[in-house]
Amino acid sequence: MTTPTLLPDGDPQAGGLRHGRPKYLEVRDLTVAFDGFVAVDKVNLSVTQGDLRFLIGPNGAGKTTIIDAITGLVPATGSVNHTGTEILGRKVHKIARLGVGRTFQTASVFENLSVLQNLDIAAGTRRKAKELLRRRKGMDPAVQEALEIIGLDKAADKQAGTLAHGQKQWLEIGMLLVQNSDVLLLDEPIAGMSQDERDETGQLLRRIAASRITLVIEHDMDFVREFATSVTVLAAGKVLSEGSVAQVQADKKVQDVYLGTAGMEGH
Ligand SMILES: Nc1ncnc2c1ncn2[C@@H]1O[C@H](COP(=O)(O)OP(=O)(O)OP(=O)(O)O)[C@@H](O)[C@H]1O
Ligand SMILES: [Mg+2]
């Protein structure tokens, strides 16, 4: 994509267009080294609002490390621009407040609390103190909306620990939605899900990606084929290929990397 250069620096707003232009996340020359081992090597990656981008690649390729770097969990060099705002080098909580949300390979919800309480706590991190003091009656509209989007409105009072595996992942996504995250970085959200849960998750991702910047790490190629609008292939810390599913599957470099592994036929 061409980089919009006229946008002023500032906090991006969640949902919808900003100055009539789509929001974007532009990663440039992102590099992460662990004790001299280069896990992410000059990665360039641009994701625009509305795209449902998948990040694929063999185990150890550096996929999770890219998300860790974008969200400030590991030190990195290069640049990560969120719709006009440089976020690399900022503190974890600041990056989250700038609308960048992520999930982890293992779901991390508060198991002893209800679905609603989990969402309320997440929403609390975005609410202004004044708003909290007002002691609003009834449900926060953002929480209600998130419950509907993630399809857990009937399970609002259920203890999160008793949810099915898939539902926990949806709750985690809901927690990002109520925080007004407009960048969603999801690390293997369908791992361990049943086929039905996968299908529902794919539909959920489509819905939320329409107005957000969405990057999904995934190994299951059937899922990628069905739901990706574009794919970035990572291998040994470098971007190997990028394009539509058909384009990257036809790429000889990608085929070579997957040769002798579980392959691109999924598992
Ligand atoms: N904190 C760390 N310290 C040292 N090395 C690390 C650290 N985190 C990751 N690595 C290494 O960096 C490389 C990339 O790891 P990463 O977890 O990003 O891979 P991945 O593509 O997410 O793999 P998977 O598909 O298995 O989740 C691996 O070789 C890993 O061992
Ligand atoms: Mg990983």
Side-chain angles (χ1 to χ4, degrees), residues 128-137:
K128 295 198 181 75
K130 227 196 314 181
E131 210 178 318
L132 277 176
L133 283 171
R134 228 186 289 146
R135 304 188 112 243
R136 314 163 53 144
K137 277 204 176 144

Side-chain angles (χ1 to χ4, degrees), residues 134-181:
R134 228 186 289 146
R135 304 188 112 243
R136 314 163 53 144
K137 277 204 176 144
M139 207 186 281
D140 182 334
V143 169
Q144 179 62 48
E145 192 187 346
L147 274 173
E148 284 161 22
I149 293 174
I150 61 177
L152 290 181
D153 35 339
K154 302 245 165 23
D157 296 321
K158 255 186 129 171
Q159 195 176 327
T162 67
L163 294 176
H165 178 78
Q167 293 176 316
K168 277 188 200 169
Q169 284 285 346
W170 302 334
L171 175 55
E172 261 206 291
I173 292 171
M175 289 165 78
L176 299 180
L177 299 180
V178 297
Q179 284 168 49
N180 279 347
S181 299

Side-chain angles (χ1 to χ4, degrees), residues 34 37 39 57-66 105 187-188 217 219:
F34 298 112
F37 168 70
N59 293 116
K63 304 179 297 295
T64 298
T65 306
I66 288 179
Q105 266 174 269
D187 201 349
E188 304 194 27
I217 296 177
H219 281 290

